[in-house]
Amino acid sequence: MTWSEMRPLLEQASDETLYMVGWSALIAILGGLPLGVLLVLTDRGGLLQNAVVNKVLGQVVNIARSMPFIILMVALMSFTRWVVGTTIGQDAAIVPLAIGAIPFFARLVETSVREVDHGLVEAVQSMGGSTFTVVRKVLLPEALPSLIAGATTTVVSLIGYSAMAGTVGAGGLGDLAVRYGYQRFESDLMWIIVAILAVVISLIQLAGDLAARLLSHRGRASTGS
């Protein structure tokens, strides 16, 4: 296969992968952030301590995280059809990708928020701050560098999951690698896809690490002043 033949295939597959990963990452962050914060707030000693709620949420997150993505994708087919009207295509793949990533990111959020100095929380509470104020003014800002790192890890994981989304006709680089690189023995195309994924993942990780580092330094500077 010549480069002129591979180029349109690679461009289309790259667009499909970016589309799936972008939307599923956004949904995962919007869903996982409040879920992770709620796990901390309802835990023992939390501002909204509730053992029952915390245990139920924890079990749901654990079960969802432990389920292999390919099984989750099949199990959610009826739900996917209800949400987007089909079980085939990129939009259909976004549903299981997002649902699988939400509990993953929620646990990372939980870990990040737990690292926040409890003394800052007590200080805001002593000034009459509500739970919402504590979350908005202390927990999220202080945990932001770690949250950025967690979001970066989630996006990188979603790129890997998106390769399996080809089983529902979603396309993407993973699907292209299987159909052409493996089934048709186009080894050149396979290695080009590997290189593209390596570069994309490296750039995402670099950007995430840089953003987390800058926010961390800014936080220390503001604390010191």
Side-chain angles (χ1 to χ4, degrees):
M1 181 179 287
T2 64
W3 171 248
S4 60
E5 293 173 321
M6 289 188 287
R7 182 174 177 178
L9 294 174
L10 290 169
E11 289 178 348
Q12 180 180 352
S14 298
D15 289 342
E16 291 167 349
T17 295
L18 291 175
Y19 178 81
M20 288 186 291
V21 172
W23 278 107
S24 56
L26 177 61
I27 297 170
I29 290 171
L30 293 177
L33 183 61
L35 180 57
V37 172
L38 192 58
L39 283 168
V40 176
L41 295 179
T42 57
D43 199 6
R44 181 181 301 175
L47 300 179
L48 300 175
Q49 180 175 327
N50 189 313
V52 175
V53 172
N54 185 265
K55 189 169 183 178
V56 170
L57 288 177
Q59 287 299 321
V60 171
V61 168
N62 289 338
I63 292 172
R65 284 185 62 201
S66 64
M67 188 174 297
F69 176 71
I70 190 69
I71 296 177
L72 179 66
M73 189 163 52
V74 173
L76 290 174
M77 279 189 173
S78 297
F79 179 73
T80 299
R81 184 182 293 107
W82 178 75
V83 173
V84 298
T86 181
T87 59
I88 299 175
Q90 298 164 55
D91 291 336
I94 290 173
V95 176
L97 281 171
I99 292 178
I102 285 174
F104 178 83
F105 183 61
R107 282 301 186 191
L108 296 178
V109 171
E110 180 187 13
T111 302
S112 300
V113 173
R114 287 190 190 281
E115 294 174 352
V116 175
D117 185 1
H118 194 66
L120 297 174
V121 175
E122 294 177 343
V124 174
Q125 284 184 298
S126 67
M127 292 185 289
S130 64
T131 299
F132 178 76
T133 301
V134 171
V135 172
R136 186 169 62 91
K137 295 289 188 179
V138 179
L139 296 182
L140 294 182
E142 291 295 320
L144 188 56
S146 184
L147 292 174
I148 295 295
T152 303
T153 301
T154 302
V155 172
V156 170
S157 298
L158 280 169
I159 293 176
Y161 288 148
S162 69
M164 288 180 278
T167 59
V168 293
L173 289 169
D175 176 61
L176 185 64
V178 171
R179 287 191 295 114
Y180 284 84
Y182 177 71
Q183 295 177 350
R184 302 187 186 185
F185 305 102
E186 297 286 351
S187 57
D188 291 343
L189 181 61
M190 171 76 82
W191 286 112
I192 291 174
I193 292 172
V194 170
I196 291 174
L197 289 174
V199 170
V200 170
I201 290 174
S202 297
L203 290 175
I204 292 173
Q205 191 66 59
L206 180 64
D209 292 344
L210 180 61
R213 196 176 300 116
L214 289 174
L215 288 170
S216 180
H217 289 332
R218 184 179 300 176
R220 293 195 193 101
S222 62
T223 302
S225 63

